[in-house]
Amino acid sequence: MSLSYAIASRVKDYFMMMKFTLTFMVVFSCVVAYLLVPGVEFDLVKVLLLFAGGILVSGSANIINQILEKETDKLMARTAPRPLPAGRLSVGEAAVVSVVTGLAGILILGFGFNWLSAIVSLVSLVLYGFVYTPWKKWNSLAVLVGAIPGALPPLIGWVAGAGTLSEGGWALFAIQFLWQFPHFWAIAWVAHTDYTRAGFKLMPTDRGPGKMIALQAAMYTMLLIPAGVAPYLLGMTGAVSAVVAILIGGFYLYRAIELYRKCDVPSARKLMFGSYIYLAVILLALLFDKVKL
C-alpha cells in the first residue's frame, strides 16, 4: 500500500466520522442565518471562516457520538462500516481528532466573529455529544434533547453576525427545532429494526411505528407553517418568503399526512427526503428575500 493511498484512506475515514455531508447541510443553515442579520453583507472570507468553524465543531460532536456508540454501531447494518466499529480507527485516535477539530472550530468562531458564538457552539457540542448521545438509550425524550443542538447552528450564525441572542436568531432556531421532529421520526421509522436491535429509543411510543407517531409528525409540520412566516412578521424578510414558507410547509405537511394515511416505510422515506427539501427551500427563500436596510 502506497503512502499516498494510506493517507487518503485515513482522511476519508476522518470525513466519515465527522459525517461531512450531513454536517455540511447543518452548517449551511448557520451561514444563511449569518447572512440574514441586518447590515451583514456577503463576504467570502467570513463565509468560509463560518463554514470551517461550524463544520469542525459539528464534526467534533459527531465523532464523540461515534466513540460512545462504537459497540451499538456494530449492531446496525447502516453504521457497521463506520471507521470505529469496523476497526479501521482506534478510539484514542478518534478522541484526538475530536479534541483538535472541536477546539479549532471554537477558536475560529471566537477570533473570527465573537466569543458568544463560540460559547453557543460549545454548548451545542456538549449537548449533542454528552447529553443526547447517551440519552438515546434511556427514553424517547432524546429526540427533544437532540433537537436543541440540532437547531443551534442558525442561532450560532445569527450570533456570529449580530453579536447578540436576539429575536431573529430565535425565530430561525424555532424553524430548525420544529423541523427536526418529523425528520427524526421518519428516519427512526425507516431504520426501526436497526435502532431496536441497538437499543435506541427514538419513537415517542414503545409500540413502534404507527398512526400516533405519524399524527405527531403532522402536528409539528403544521406548526412549521407559522414558524416559517415569523421572519417576515419580524421584518427580516419580504412577503415572498412568507408565501414560500406556506407553500413548502404545506408540502411537508402533505408528506406527513400521507404517512398517517399509509403508515408504511415508503411513506416514511418520502417524509424523510421531504424534510431535506423543506429545509433547503425555506432557507434559500429567507436568504433571497432578505430585507435590505
Side-chain angles (χ1 to χ4, degrees):
M1 182 186 296
S2 67
L3 179 61
S4 59
Y5 178 82
I7 293 174
S9 179
R10 186 54 55 94
V11 170
K12 181 181 177 182
D13 280 338
Y14 288 168
F15 276 126
M16 186 178 292
M17 276 200 307
M18 293 174 70
K19 300 182 183 176
F20 187 79
T21 303
L22 179 61
T23 298
F24 184 88
M25 183 173 181
V26 169
V27 175
F28 176 68
S29 68
C30 179
V31 173
V32 169
Y34 168 76
L35 293 173
L36 279 171
V37 174
V40 170
E41 299 294 337
F42 181 84
D43 181 319
L44 182 60
V45 173
K46 285 287 191 180
V47 167
L48 290 177
L49 277 175
L50 191 55
F51 252 115
I55 284 174
L56 288 169
V57 172
S58 183
S60 175
N62 286 327
I63 295 172
I64 293 168
N65 171 270
Q66 289 179 61
I67 290 172
L68 297 179
E69 293 182 353
K70 176 186 173 184
E71 297 305 316
T72 48
D73 277 352
K74 292 179 181 179
L75 304 175
M76 300 189 291
R78 182 176 60 86
T79 55
R82 287 175 175 173
L84 287 172
R88 296 193 303 276
L89 293 177
S90 68
V91 168
E93 184 175 358
V96 170
V97 175
S98 176
V99 170
V100 171
T101 54
L103 279 176
I106 289 168
L107 290 174
I108 287 172
L109 290 168
F111 285 109
F113 298 92
N114 53 67
W115 289 102
L116 181 56
S117 64
I119 291 170
V120 178
S121 69
L122 176 60
V123 170
S124 176
L125 187 156
V126 171
L127 282 176
Y128 186 86
F130 298 107
V131 181
Y132 164 69
T133 295
W135 203 312
K136 287 195 287 184
K137 287 207 165 186
W138 302 339
N139 59 53
S140 61
L141 282 175
V143 175
L144 174 63
V145 174
I148 297 172
L152 282 177
L155 187 60
I156 293 168
W158 182 272
V159 172
T164 61
L165 293 163
S166 47
E167 58 187 11
W170 289 114
L172 299 172
F173 171 91
I175 292 172
Q176 197 146 310
F177 179 79
L178 294 170
W179 167 83
Q180 286 177 90
F181 291 91
H183 171 74
F184 274 141
W185 290 331
I187 293 174
W189 194 305
V190 172
H192 179 64
T193 302
D194 258 1
Y195 283 153
T196 301
R197 188 184 301 119
F200 292 143
K201 299 175 181 178
L202 297 174
M203 292 287 194
T205 171
D206 293 333
R207 289 173 290 183
K211 283 193 176 294
M212 183 57 68
I213 292 168
L215 179 62
Q216 291 184 57
M219 289 171 61
Y220 277 98
T221 57
M222 196 178 299
L223 289 172
L224 269 171
I225 295 175
V229 176
Y232 163 68
L233 298 177
L234 290 171
M236 297 161 54
T237 59
V240 172
S241 74
V243 173
V244 173
I246 293 169
L247 293 176
I248 195 63
F251 162 78
Y252 200 15
L253 174 60
Y254 167 75
R255 284 286 172 89
I257 291 172
E258 283 294 288
L259 178 61
Y260 178 80
R261 286 182 56 248
K262 298 178 180 178
C263 281
D264 58 9
V265 170
S267 298
R269 188 171 284 110
K270 287 180 180 179
L271 178 60
M272 180 181 69
F273 286 118
S275 70
Y276 293 121
I277 295 170
Y278 171 86
L279 191 60
V281 171
I282 190 73
L283 289 174
L284 289 172
L286 292 173
L287 180 59
F288 288 121
D289 200 29
K290 175 184 176 179
V291 172
K292 304 294 183 182
L293 298 179

